[in-house]
Amino acid sequence: MSPAVLLSALGEVRTRATLGHDRVFFPKGGNAKAHIVQDERAPLPADAVDRTVSVLTGEVLRRAAARPAVELAVVDADLNGVMAPFAERTASPRPRDPAARQ
């Protein structure tokens, strides 16, 4: 599973035990506009969400531990809860590689 899919699944499932969250969509195409709608889906059982979050978080940490250490990482706490696309194609059209046209 790619890191983008893993992180996207973790971000999605961790809010599914409660009501009242917004869903954010980044449609494919020529724009990077987000669509936000009220999530009207029924909540998932809290124990299932907790187990899934635990498994996905464990996998993220396992992969991070396998990578070389970094000297300093800075995370802005004000960004908590900000949704961002994980795949380039969800944010903008794919850049064209002039070499690929040959």
Side-chain angles (χ1 to χ4, degrees), residues 42-57:
L44 297 174
D47 61 329
V49 170
D50 291 344
R51 285 193 314 269
T52 304
V53 167
S54 178
V55 168
L56 294 174
T57 300

Side-chain angles (χ1 to χ4, degrees), residues 15 18-22 38-41:
T15 63
T18 58
L19 289 174
H21 297 280
D22 291 335
Q38 182 68 33
D39 191 349
E40 297 177 355
R41 298 173 295 178

Side-chain angles (χ1 to χ4, degrees), residues 15-92:
T15 63
R16 292 287 284 120
T18 58
L19 289 174
H21 297 280
D22 291 335
R23 294 182 72 189
V24 181
F25 300 91
F26 296 90
K28 292 181 184 180
N31 64 52
K33 295 180 181 175
H35 295 274
I36 303 170
V37 298
Q38 182 68 33
D39 191 349
E40 297 177 355
R41 298 173 295 178
L44 297 174
D47 61 329
V49 170
D50 291 344
R51 285 193 314 269
T52 304
V53 167
S54 178
V55 168
L56 294 174
T57 300
E59 179 61 13
V60 169
L61 294 175
R62 184 193 69 76
R63 291 182 185 195
R67 306 286 301 164
V70 296
E71 186 175 322
L72 175 68
V74 178
V75 179
D76 186 339
D78 288 338
L79 295 177
N80 186 32
V82 173
M83 183 67 162
F86 286 105
E88 180 181 330
R89 74 173 186 270
T90 62
S92 62

